Amino acid sequence: MTGPALGVRLGIIGGLGPLASADFYQKLTELTPARADTDHLPLVLLSLPQIPDRTEAILNGSDAVLKSLLAAVRTLDQFGIECIAMPCNTAHHWFDELTHATGAEIVHIVESVVEDMARGFGGRRVALLATPGTLSSGFYQDRLLAAGYEVCRPSAPEFQPLVDKAIHDVKAGVVAEAAVALKAALAHCRAEGVEAGILACTELSVMSREAMHCGLTIIDSNTALAQACLRRLGLISGATDLRRAAGLEANQAAGRKCA
Amino acid sequence: MTGPALGVRLGIIGGLGPLASADFYQKLTELTPARADTDHLPLVLLSLPQIPDRTEAILNGSDAVLKSLLAAVRTLDQFGIECIAMPCNTAHHWFDELTHATGAEIVHIVESVVEDMARGFGGRRVALLATPGTLSSGFYQDRLLAAGYEVCRPSAPEFQPLVDKAIHDVKAGVVAEAAVALKAALAHCRAEGVEAGILACTELSVMSREAMHCGLTIIDSNTALAQACLRRLGLISGATDLRRAAGLEANQAAGRKCA
């Protein structure tokens, strides 16, 4: 195949969902220090929205998602790419199996988040806004605890239903309604003393700009993953702190009320 | 290769530039009537920003761009795709050569624009906001004239430099500055009696929402191309008029001043 001749360096397993992948691609582009087209990363993005529901597969122990992800990884490998990004947190449940199947580096979204927090977040108490599949798998909590963070769970019974609704609404294309639910979920975090809300589902990343006005620090997994990919591939340096894509630069100014 | 097993239906030749491609992918997603991920189109997007400058190649008679585009088409063909979209107007200079090289249908961006105008624009006098390469090639003017439109050229000497600046600024990531230049260019169109401004460069499509407040109808080539792809692939019907992605639905309400 002619893929390697194209010189693409990054492979993206996307479409999980598509709006979240578009958000990732846009942030990757905006975070690249570029004066012209040629300064940008050559990449191939597979948008595969027919991959079965990740949360259902985790909760039911199905291997259908893994099979689809492996097919995507094998296809990307044929392009001769150096790194793979999956702008879907829940899919990282199968990270180890996927990593063993490729010579490319799969950039882990949670490690990207932890790197991002190490650079710009001085607090300790964080909350995960994530799918039931991600929460059940435990890969986020393990890495956050290992990095010294306290993972808080808001006690309000409506917290997780609000997160679920926000994710579902983005997938259904009603982002304005999703933003209302996300802001309500973040208000619960803030009321219980959480210092940072982690947008640990890339559907929520689509609303990172709206989320930053909720009076707590917002860590966006799509922004973190984009930064990590650009660092691995040498397009930004370790010292560069570029948060403009997610509009997060003013986010740590405390005290703004949730709209 | 495993590409065909992925079931992707649309191939996108992107990265010309990357922000324009992200805009196309987002609009394609937003224009899809979907309640969940699985309702969306499976696709592969090649983002190849190292493809040489299209306008320079047209003005200098170079075949370097054609060679790169042919390599992209051959790679997409191996996925077993049905349609190809190029969210870059200038690249359509090489449409005939590319179409002969593939069994897939390359959806022509100008034919998409003309289809879009036939559905929603009742006027006649239009202006092209495009690269010098697109204008020099003539493929836009030919199709618009054949469809019965009058292609106007604002007489103000600063018109084309404003368009060029807007395109350049988007490629350099300074979209706010680009929007100022685009609005000034559209104000010249309006002052000279133009009824519709065609965003005939997909860098300008990134600002389709801002453009709609300039008191003339805006035809967005990225929105038109996305709609045409979704129609070809049966995701929307011929009768569906979906303009929400570009925020164009209120655009034809006359009389709003350019900000």
Side-chain angles (χ1 to χ4, degrees):
Chain A
M1 77 168 263
T2 56
L6 298 177
V8 299
R9 300 184 63 198
L10 176 70
I12 301 172
I13 301 177
L16 317 167
L19 214 51
S21 290
D23 179 75
F24 174 75
Y25 180 34
Q26 184 180 334
K27 285 172 177 164
L28 188 83
T29 302
E30 291 177 348
L31 287 165
T32 302
R35 300 296 304 161
D37 287 354
T38 49
D39 297 329
H40 284 278
L41 201 55
L43 61 88
V44 51
L45 186 157
L46 300 174
S47 190
L48 305 172
Q50 279 71 38
I51 290 181
D53 187 86
R54 280 67 68 192
T55 283
E56 279 182 30
I58 292 171
L59 300 181
N60 300 333
S62 159
D63 65 353
V65 173
L66 177 58
K67 282 185 183 171
S68 300
L69 295 175
L70 284 171
V73 164
R74 279 186 216 111
T75 300
L76 292 176
D77 264 344
Q78 294 182 47
F79 280 85
I81 41 124
E82 298 162 57
C83 289
I84 292 175
M86 286 197 297
C88 169
N89 289 269
T90 317
H92 284 71
H93 175 73
W94 295 276
F95 177 83
D96 292 343
E97 293 92 328
L98 296 174
T99 285
H100 289 137
T102 175
E105 178 189 4
I106 304 180
V107 182
H108 200 300
I109 199 164
V110 188
E111 289 171 10
S112 306
V113 162
V114 170
E115 284 173 25
D116 190 43
M117 291 166 73
R119 267 191 305 274
F121 171 60
R124 185 162 170 273
R125 292 169 55 81
V126 302
L128 282 173
L129 293 96
T131 65
T134 294
L135 296 171
S136 159
S137 179
F139 60 83
Y140 243 108
Q141 298 90 325
D142 292 348
R143 283 172 173 79
L144 289 169
L145 292 171
Y149 296 104
E150 180 187 349
V151 182
C152 309
R153 192 94 201 116
S155 59
E158 58 271 40
F159 173 72
Q160 188 61 36
L162 283 167
V163 174
D164 295 345
K165 176 173 165 45
I167 294 169
H168 175 271
D169 283 352
V170 171
K171 288 184 184 293
V174 283
V175 178
E177 287 182 35
V180 172
L182 174 61
K183 287 176 183 175
L186 287 168
H188 283 294
C189 294
R190 186 161 176 263
E192 301 201 19
V194 168
E195 294 164 282
I198 302 177
L199 305 184
C201 170
T202 54
E203 257 68 40
L204 305 179
S205 297
V206 170
M207 301 170 288
S208 57
R209 287 173 178 81
E210 291 91 329
M212 69 177 251
H213 297 290
C214 288
L216 72 173
T217 297
I218 297 297
I219 309 293
D220 171 26
S221 57
N222 251 355
T223 300
L225 182 62
Q227 287 182 325
C229 290
L230 293 171
R231 276 202 183 81
R232 300 287 190 286
L233 293 166
L235 274 84
I236 57 176
S237 70
T240 313
D241 187 22
L242 287 160
R243 301 172 75 85
R244 65 184 167 118
L248 297 177
E249 70 287 346
N251 183 43
Q252 297 192 32
R256 273 181 292 186
K257 292 276 186 182
C258 193
Chain B
M1 76 167 262
T2 56
L6 298 176
V8 298
R9 300 184 64 199
L10 177 69
I12 302 170
I13 301 177
L16 316 167
L19 215 51
S21 290
D23 179 74
F24 174 75
Y25 179 33
Q26 185 181 333
K27 284 172 177 165
L28 188 83
T29 303
E30 291 176 347
L31 286 165
T32 303
R35 299 297 304 163
D37 287 353
T38 49
D39 298 328
H40 284 278
L41 200 55
L43 63 87
V44 52
L45 185 157
L46 300 174
S47 189
L48 306 172
Q50 278 71 38
I51 290 181
D53 186 85
R54 280 68 67 193
T55 284
E56 278 182 30
I58 292 170
L59 300 181
N60 300 334
S62 158
D63 65 354
V65 172
L66 177 58
K67 282 185 183 172
S68 300
L69 294 175
L70 283 171
V73 164
R74 281 186 214 111
T75 300
L76 292 176
D77 264 343
Q78 296 183 44
F79 280 86
I81 41 125
E82 298 161 57
C83 288
I84 293 176
M86 286 197 296
C88 169
N89 289 270
T90 317
H92 284 71
H93 175 73
W94 296 276
F95 177 83
D96 291 342
E97 293 92 327
L98 296 174
T99 285
H100 290 139
T102 174
E105 179 190 2
I106 304 180
V107 183
H108 200 299
I109 199 163
V110 187
E111 288 170 13
S112 306
V113 162
V114 171
E115 285 172 24
D116 191 43
M117 290 166 73
R119 268 190 306 275
F121 170 60
R124 186 164 171 272
R125 291 170 54 81
V126 302
L128 283 173
L129 293 97
T131 65
T134 294
L135 296 172
S136 159
S137 178
F139 60 84
Y140 243 108
Q141 297 92 323
D142 292 347
R143 283 172 174 80
L144 289 168
L145 292 171
Y149 297 103
E150 180 188 348
V151 182
C152 310
R153 192 95 202 114
S155 60
E158 58 270 41
F159 173 72
Q160 188 60 36
L162 283 167
V163 174
D164 295 344
K165 175 173 166 45
I167 295 168
H168 175 272
D169 283 353
V170 171
K171 288 184 184 292
V174 284
V175 178
E177 286 182 36
V180 172
L182 174 61
K183 286 176 185 176
L186 287 167
H188 283 295
C189 294
R190 187 162 176 263
E192 301 201 22
V194 168
E195 293 164 283
I198 303 178
L199 305 183
C201 170
T202 54
E203 256 69 39
L204 305 179
S205 297
V206 171
M207 300 171 290
S208 57
R209 286 173 179 81
E210 291 92 329
M212 68 179 251
H213 297 290
C214 288
L216 73 171
T217 297
I218 297 298
I219 309 293
D220 171 26
S221 57
N222 251 355
T223 299
L225 182 61
Q227 286 182 326
C229 290
L230 293 171
R231 277 202 181 81
R232 300 287 190 287
L233 293 166
L235 274 84
I236 58 177
S237 71
T240 312
D241 187 22
L242 287 160
R243 301 172 76 84
R244 65 182 166 120
L248 297 177
E249 70 284 348
N251 184 43
Q252 298 192 29
R256 273 180 292 185
K257 291 277 186 181
C258 193

